[in-house]
Amino acid sequence: MDDAAAFNRSAWDSQVEGGQNPWTIPCTAEQVAAARHGDWKIYLTPTKPVPVDWFPETLVGKDVLCLASGGGQQGPLLAAAGANVTVYDNSPRQLARDAEVAQRDGLTIHTLLGDMRDLSALSDASFDLIVHPVSNVFVPNVLPVWRESYRVLRTGGALLAGFDSPFVHCVDTRGDGYFLRFSLPYSDLTSITEAERVERYGANTPMEFGHTLTDQLGGQMAAGFHLVDLFEDIDPNDHLHDFFPQFIATYAVKLK
């Protein structure tokens, strides 16, 4: 585990303890109960649910990897819908959220601690579906995420991924207005000072990295994926959405 992963493990644990980050707040018992009856939806990005036709016709018996997806949100609902769920995340406290929901609602969820770029603990061709909400912003290099995802998927399996628009990281949001300042790829390690990072994001926040579309979209295709569909989404709490959507979600398939 490199320095960025170690820093972000601690930062995400702090986010859970703070209780304010929406990606750390677990689903409710009512949502789980509804999912058991086929009424469920999950999110890869802040506001738009994943389209129904991005999922298999049924999740019953499907092996699903929730990649960098701790927090007790996606995994429990997919498990309640009948899937065999493994949640893989870098934060022990985020994984604990999934374990808490599983215990509360009588679900079976396997949790595994690790870096999303290294899935060596998982066997080749062991999953039918990967759910990867916005999270690769927290690693310096996204290409290993796509390669490892391709390896652990079975033929015909799908990768559902959400990520930041690269342009979010070009904009300096401090002060009065928005200013184009940063080039891509963006890195909290090299693009700004630590003091600026804390001013920009706040204390005890994860370190971020902005990836190009070549690495986000082209990287999936280079790993072997067939890109089927995508949509864009916004963060309603950030007025950058007045200029462009801040998030992208993709549906890609492993054909062979």
Side-chain angles (χ1 to χ4, degrees), residues 11-34:
W12 270 106
D13 284 350
S14 294
Q15 293 290 298
V16 174
E17 297 300 331
Q20 300 300 312
N21 189 316
W23 293 99
T24 70
I25 300 172
C27 61
T28 66
E30 291 75 18
Q31 288 173 314
V32 170

Side-chain angles (χ1 to χ4, degrees), residues 3-4 140 186-194 197 207-209:
D3 290 345
Y186 171 87
S187 168
D188 271 352
L189 288 171
T190 58
S191 300
I192 57 177
T193 66
E194 175 61 14
R197 193 191 73 80
M207 190 176 296
E208 295 193 4
F209 304 87

Side-chain angles (χ1 to χ4, degrees), residues 133-191:
V134 174
S135 55
N136 64 44
V137 66
F138 303 116
V139 292
N141 184 2
V142 71
L143 297 181
V145 178
W146 306 138
R147 291 194 294 264
E148 283 287 85
S149 294
Y150 190 84
R151 179 183 65 80
V152 302
L153 270 178
R154 298 180 178 123
T155 299
L159 166 68
L160 313 184
F163 47 87
D164 287 351
S165 166
F167 310 114
V168 168
H169 295 279
C170 296
V171 180
D172 190 346
T173 58
R174 297 175 304 131
D176 185 17
Y178 299 104
F179 304 93
L180 281 174
R181 175 185 172 190
F182 305 107
S183 59
L184 294 171
Y186 171 87
S187 168
D188 271 352
L189 288 171
T190 58
S191 300

Side-chain angles (χ1 to χ4, degrees), residues 48-120:
K48 290 186 180 181
V50 180
V52 173
D53 60 2
W54 284 20
F55 294 98
E57 187 173 334
T58 179
L59 285 175
V60 176
K62 298 295 185 182
D63 295 313
V64 177
L65 174 63
C66 292
L67 180 59
S69 179
Q73 298 180 0
Q74 298 85 14
L77 296 181
L78 295 169
N84 305 315
V85 173
T86 297
V87 180
Y88 191 99
D89 200 275
N90 186 41
S91 163
R93 290 295 295 122
Q94 280 284 78
L95 289 175
R97 290 297 200 207
D98 290 272
E100 290 162 8
V101 176
Q103 183 176 20
R104 182 192 72 194
D105 297 324
L107 300 169
T108 299
I109 297 175
H110 178 53
T111 60
L112 193 60
L113 181 67
D115 188 314
M116 70 185 85
R117 296 166 292 177
D118 178 11
L119 305 184
S120 56

